Amino acid sequence: MHTSSHALARLLGDWSAGPGPAHRRLADLIRLLILDGRLPLATTMPGERDLAAVLGISRTTVSTAYAALREQGYLSARARSRGRTRVPPGGSRPEPDTTGRDLIDLSHAAPPAPGEALHRAYLRALDQLPRHLPRHGYSQLGLPELRTAVARRYADRGLATTPDQILITSGAQHALGLIARTLLRPRDRVVVDHPTYPHALQVLRATGCRIVPVAVTDTGWDVESLSAATRGAAMAYLLPDFHNPTGLCLPERDRAELRPGCPVVVDETMAELALDVDPPVPLAAHHTGVISIGSAAKTFWGGLRVGWIRADAGLVQRLGQARAGIDLGTPVVEQLACAELLGEIDRLLPDRLADLRLRRSLLLDLLSARLPDWTAGPSAGGLSVWARLSQPVSSALAAVAPEFGVRLAAGPRFGIGGAFERFVRLPYSLDAPAMTAGIDGIAEAFEAVQAGRRANTPPAALA
């Protein structure tokens, strides 16, 4: 596999900003791209002269950066051949924490399980299991009781839905992957929010499609620009319901005024987590043909790997047939447990939402006290805030943070072309002691990065 100078430049983004000499900044960011998976292993790098011309720098700067990467083990060093990306021995897994503290995981925006309710749901599921045992156990479209429960929940949220419009999946990412593999072809144009959910970008890149970003700012979506960008596209992937990572919610007026010019896939995994506004009516209530994706992971628990697709009945059947080439269905017990939880969601949600409000308030207070030069964007719901750093060092911060007891998801993982080095997603799903320790660790790591500290720690997995 080869990467061109222009493709690498897009990944690097505004690489020149930050402390230290240019060759070190360039080498550091290329190394982070390799560790992050955005620059795949065994990729042949562009020539020094070509890359220097595209970046507008001297060939010596590129040559020195490549030499540093070869010395560190991130580029092959065969004579008279271009370097290929690699990871040095031991570099493919996170380095151990050197501080003696357990790592605080701020790379996952996921709530703790509603322990008692989850346990009760599984007990009831096991009570129902015997009636399913005489059958083969495969459910290509999902168990009727769960499809009914999901359809009922959509109706409660303001969108009339029948069970034959529901396909049960093994999580939201499985749902998006199934849709992308069924509806997209290489070189298709797909519009996305920018920033957006990193795993969605991975799914879309795997199809070979062309990703077109449309900015989501602190003030939200530019509906006119978004409508224009979708004209003639193969698909749009949007997160209007407590957007991940920003926590913003597309207002009801804008939902009605949006004029999509292509099929729209709406990720509703955060839709139930309304903290400051009324729960949004699904976008599909305003526009026909919208495909909705939902999940139990953010509402209940990430370990409950159940998701769903809401679409017209014909597309549900088509997706169900395509699914056979990927898997044969979602586990039965998990489906039964999810149906039980959906049946009592109105009783469970108020306490969970009140708890999330308290956790968000604590996070904002901690940021104000420990990192006063950072700015937390508005978050109307969901599980995270999108924090603006005082310097464009998000990737370097995420690499150094484990040495200070914290795992982070760097801003560029949520974007395209190296964007968002001034941002980091901060979830408020941890308890107070962990969140306090985490922000303390980030503050220490940020101070170290400002002083020129670098690390080889691979970026953490995220959710």
Side-chain angles (χ1 to χ4, degrees):
M1 180 177 179
H2 295 71
T3 187
S4 69
S5 296
H6 290 282
L8 181 56
R10 286 192 295 271
L11 287 173
L12 290 169
D14 186 13
W15 66 274
S16 60
H23 68 83
R24 191 180 73 179
R25 293 198 302 271
L26 180 59
D28 282 347
L29 191 46
I30 291 175
R31 174 175 49 80
L32 287 167
L33 290 172
I34 295 169
L35 290 169
D36 201 10
R38 284 179 280 163
L39 196 55
L41 297 181
T43 296
T44 301
M45 297 290 283
E48 295 173 2
R49 190 186 305 277
D50 288 344
L51 184 59
V54 169
L55 295 180
I57 57 178
S58 71
R59 181 177 178 180
T60 301
T61 298
V62 177
S63 177
T64 306
Y66 277 8
L69 290 165
R70 284 193 293 270
E71 184 178 340
Q72 296 165 6
Y74 290 93
L75 288 183
S76 61
R78 291 183 296 174
R80 292 189 297 277
S81 65
R82 293 184 183 180
R84 301 177 71 187
T85 57
R86 61 187 294 270
V87 175
S92 61
R93 58 182 65 88
E95 294 181 1
D97 175 30
T98 58
T99 64
R101 294 176 289 181
D102 291 334
L103 290 179
I104 305 298
D105 191 351
L106 287 169
S107 62
H108 287 77
E116 218 176 280
L118 186 70
H119 185 210
R120 188 166 57 246
Y122 269 92
L123 288 176
R124 290 173 179 167
L126 290 173
D127 286 341
Q128 298 174 47
L129 186 59
R131 61 187 173 87
H132 292 273
L133 296 179
R135 307 168 193 163
H136 51 62
Y138 301 121
S139 53
Q140 201 169 18
L141 298 178
L143 294 182
E145 45 265 75
L146 180 53
R147 297 174 75 194
T148 299
V150 172
R152 185 181 302 119
R153 187 59 188 169
Y154 273 110
D156 291 344
R157 293 177 52 216
L159 176 60
T161 303
T162 56
D164 65 350
Q165 292 179 278
I166 302 297
L167 169 66
I168 304 302
T169 64
S170 299
Q173 189 169 347
H174 176 217
L176 179 60
L178 181 58
I179 292 168
R181 281 187 289 268
T182 304
L183 302 184
L184 295 179
R185 298 295 179 266
R187 303 299 298 164
D188 277 351
R189 185 160 59 91
V190 177
V191 176
V192 300
D193 299 326
H194 202 224
T196 192
Y197 185 49
H199 291 313
L201 290 176
Q202 290 177 349
V203 168
L204 295 174
R205 287 180 180 129
T207 69
C209 66
R210 294 176 295 146
I211 301 174
V212 178
V214 177
V216 177
T217 67
D218 283 351
T219 58
W221 290 258
D222 182 337
V223 173
E224 185 176 343
S225 296
L226 183 58
S227 299
T230 63
R231 291 179 195 135
M235 192 173 83
Y237 168 78
L238 307 178
L239 297 105
D241 304 295
F242 313 116
H243 177 265
N244 186 358
T246 68
L248 294 169
C249 185
L250 185 66
E252 194 73 18
R253 180 190 67 255
D254 290 345
R255 290 171 189 251
E257 291 180 357
L258 180 67
R259 294 292 179 264
C262 68
V264 176
V265 175
V266 173
D267 188 330
E268 296 183 331
T269 52
M270 300 282 188
E272 300 283 7
L273 304 181
L275 301 184
D276 295 336
V277 296
D278 292 333
V281 175
L283 190 68
H286 296 280
H287 305 283
T288 59
V290 169
I291 304 168
S292 304
I293 293 174
S295 168
K298 307 301 185 181
T299 305
F300 301 119
W301 185 46
L304 183 59
R305 303 307 305 150
V306 176
W308 49 84
I309 297 168
R310 183 206 179 271
D312 68 71
L315 180 56
V316 164
Q317 289 296 324
R318 181 181 170 190
L319 292 170
Q321 292 168 4
R323 179 182 190 170
I326 303 169
D327 74 336
L328 296 176
T330 305
V332 171
V333 174
E334 279 68 19
Q335 291 190 68
L336 293 171
C338 187
E340 290 291 330
L341 288 167
L342 286 172
E344 55 177 327
I345 189 171
D346 289 332
R347 186 183 66 80
L348 296 174
L349 269 181
D351 287 345
R352 288 178 74 72
L353 297 181
D355 181 58
L356 285 175
R357 291 186 190 98
L358 291 175
R359 296 182 189 224
R360 184 185 58 180
S361 178
L362 173 61
L363 173 64
L364 295 176
D365 288 345
L366 291 168
L367 280 177
S368 178
R370 296 292 280 117
L371 291 158
D373 293 334
W374 290 22
T375 304
S379 173
L383 293 166
S384 64
V385 298
W386 190 230
R388 179 188 289 270
L389 284 59
S390 54
Q391 295 183 30
V393 293
S394 184
S395 293
L397 178 63
V400 167
E403 298 179 14
F404 296 86
V406 184
R407 290 204 189 284
L408 278 179
R413 301 186 73 182
F414 297 83
I416 297 167
F420 307 120
E421 276 292 355
R422 280 192 176 272
F423 291 85
V424 66
R425 183 186 72 173
L426 294 175
Y428 41 81
S429 48
L430 299 181
D431 60 23
M435 211 180 311
T436 301
I439 298 302
D440 285 345
I442 291 172
E444 294 171 14
F446 186 62
E447 185 177 346
V449 168
Q450 289 178 302
R453 181 88 160 262
R454 294 295 183 269
N456 290 325
T457 308
L462 56 81

